[in-house]
Amino acid sequence: MHRRFEVIPGAQAQVDWGDEGKILAHMGFGKVYSFHMTLSYSRDPFCCFTTSQDLETFFDCHRRAFAHFGGVPMTVVYDRTKTVVRRHVAPGEAVPLHPEAVGFAGHYDFDIDVLAAYRPTGKGRVERQVLIVRDHVLSGRSFTSVEEMDAAFAAWVPQRRAQTHRTHQQVIGERAAGDHAALKPLPPTPYLVAERHLRPVGKDCLIAFGGNLYSVPARKVRPRQLVEIRATKSQVMLHSTVPDPHGETLLATHARAVGRGARVVEETHWDGLPTGKNRRTTTGEVPVQPRHHQPLGEEARSLQALLNRAAATQVVVGRRPLSVYDELTGTRPFTTHRTPKESS
């Protein structure tokens, strides 16, 4: 059992995904998803179609929905999707939100309302809208692209707004006018949605991300310093975690590499580093010039010969019998043979 509720104009919108399956499989797309946002007061709908549910796509759909409605509601209701909730917790505990969702909501000035687990009736308005769009826009039709599907929804919206809703018994378009007027204005600049990671700087001024290497200015970083990576589908922006004296954090911007194993380097980032031009190297074609030494004395030459392994093999060593050492020490050599006189 649950209590039915209504909201005031501009107070709430509900968001949900729909899985449209392989509707574009003949065009090479594995799956197509529908993103839905419905204004709770008027039931005014928005829908767009995508081939991904990743973080950047999710919030790009939000921007399109806000532009469609001409403003931002005070609250947006979600289920526990991983693009909004960082991890699941026990009932009654505070839900840890995804940092990118918090940043996006702060930029557009709306509150995030996450439903309790297993409470689908909390966003029944948008869940009903998923089925309506599927029945009236997609059913019995074939498409060649997501853009064509978006155009089909846009052509259907005036028909939906002309209908009288069964719950509030008013024309959806008339009630939507009051809903749109109560929405908050859009910010002057859109929010840039990006993946965010911390990575250390290597001694070669390169940072590893996504199987590729990206350079940062050598004069602005130190080895093993942590740098924040903000990556979109087309760009990789590298930011310092501490602002410089001018309050700036951006270190470098690169085009995002395709695939793995690429090195994206801006040569000016290595300015000030040793170039290796003074290193003594040879290709084997240039003969090595002998070093010039001052003449050494006889004793110094003998010592130098002992220190040099090649020369040590040429040193002449005197040889003498062991009996010489016996005579010098006054000892007799040990023998096991005795004469007949000694035995008597």
Side-chain angles (χ1 to χ4, degrees):
M1 305 294 289
H2 63 274
R3 184 190 297 269
R4 182 181 293 274
F5 68 92
E6 291 293 339
V7 299
I8 61 176
Q12 187 190 87
Q14 299 179 0
V15 166
D16 199 11
W17 283 106
D19 187 347
E20 308 308 332
K22 298 183 178 181
I23 192 171
L24 293 179
H26 61 288
M27 300 302 298
F29 296 99
K31 260 192 175 183
V32 175
Y33 306 95
S34 56
F35 172 88
H36 299 264
M37 182 181 288
T38 301
L39 297 180
S40 296
Y41 173 73
S42 62
R43 278 65 165 184
D44 192 25
F46 169 79
C47 174
C48 63
F49 300 91
T50 72
T51 56
S52 172
Q53 289 181 316
D54 62 14
L55 190 72
E56 186 175 355
T57 302
F58 182 61
F59 287 112
D60 180 62
C61 292
H62 279 68
R63 289 193 293 263
R64 295 173 62 181
F66 295 156
H68 173 78
F69 295 133
V72 182
M74 290 185 285
T75 303
V76 179
V77 179
Y78 303 95
D79 55 17
R80 300 195 171 199
T81 177
K82 64 181 180 180
T83 47
V84 176
V85 176
R86 196 166 189 174
R87 68 178 184 276
H88 294 289
V89 295
E93 295 185 10
V95 178
L97 299 176
H98 194 290
E100 202 64 30
V102 174
F104 186 87
H107 183 80
Y108 285 92
D109 193 22
F110 68 87
D111 295 328
I112 296 175
D113 185 4
V114 179
L115 294 176
Y118 309 109
R119 292 290 181 88
T121 53
K123 55 181 183 63
R125 292 164 172 80
V126 70
E127 291 193 351
R128 175 58 183 155
Q129 190 64 44
V130 174
L131 301 178
I132 293 174
V133 170
R134 190 171 295 161
D135 291 340
H136 292 81
V137 178
L138 303 181
S139 181
R141 303 178 62 180
S142 61
F143 302 91
T144 59
S145 65
V146 291
E147 291 78 14
E148 186 177 344
M149 298 172 70
D150 290 341
F153 171 79
W156 172 79
V157 167
Q159 300 179 31
R160 178 60 177 170
R161 287 176 173 171
Q163 296 174 357
T164 300
H165 197 273
R166 295 180 180 180
T167 299
H168 55 61
Q169 298 297 319
Q170 296 182 23
V171 177
I172 295 176
E174 296 176 359
R175 196 172 171 102
D179 221 353
H180 296 172
L183 296 176
K184 296 180 181 180
L186 293 170
T189 57
Y191 182 81
L192 178 63
V193 180
E195 300 177 52
R196 296 173 188 261
H197 307 275
L198 288 177
R199 293 289 188 274
V201 178
K203 292 183 178 180
D204 51 4
C205 301
L206 298 178
I207 295 175
F209 171 68
N212 302 300
L213 297 174
Y214 300 89
S215 65
V216 289
R219 297 183 182 276
K220 296 184 179 181
V221 295
R222 63 182 186 278
R224 307 303 301 171
Q225 175 183 335
L226 287 179
V227 169
E228 182 184 14
I229 298 175
R230 302 178 189 177
T232 66
K233 291 183 178 180
S234 59
Q235 280 189 327
V236 173
M237 293 156 286
L238 307 174
H239 288 259
S240 172
T241 57
V242 179
D244 62 14
H246 303 287
E248 297 293 331
T249 60
L250 182 63
L251 297 173
T253 300
H254 298 284
R256 187 163 183 171
V258 178
R260 302 175 69 88
R263 293 177 54 176
V264 185
V265 178
E266 186 175 333
E267 294 295 334
T268 56
H269 289 171
W270 285 344
D271 288 349
L273 295 180
T275 61
K277 292 182 178 180
N278 296 329
R279 188 174 300 145
R280 296 180 180 274
T281 59
T282 177
T283 60
E285 300 175 355
V286 180
V288 179
Q289 298 296 330
R291 296 182 180 181
H292 299 283
H293 300 282
Q294 295 181 356
L296 301 176
E298 186 64 28
E299 295 181 357
R301 284 197 298 271
S302 300
L303 178 61
Q304 183 68 27
L306 290 175
L307 295 177
N308 189 340
R309 290 186 179 183
T313 59
Q314 306 298 328
V315 176
V316 179
V317 180
R319 298 178 180 273
R320 56 180 67 89
L322 295 177
S323 59
V324 176
Y325 297 99
D326 294 334
E327 293 177 1
L328 293 175
T329 58
T331 60
R332 295 179 61 187
F334 177 77
T335 179
T336 58
H337 300 283
R338 295 184 179 184
T339 64
K341 184 178 181 180
E342 290 176 342
S343 61
S344 62

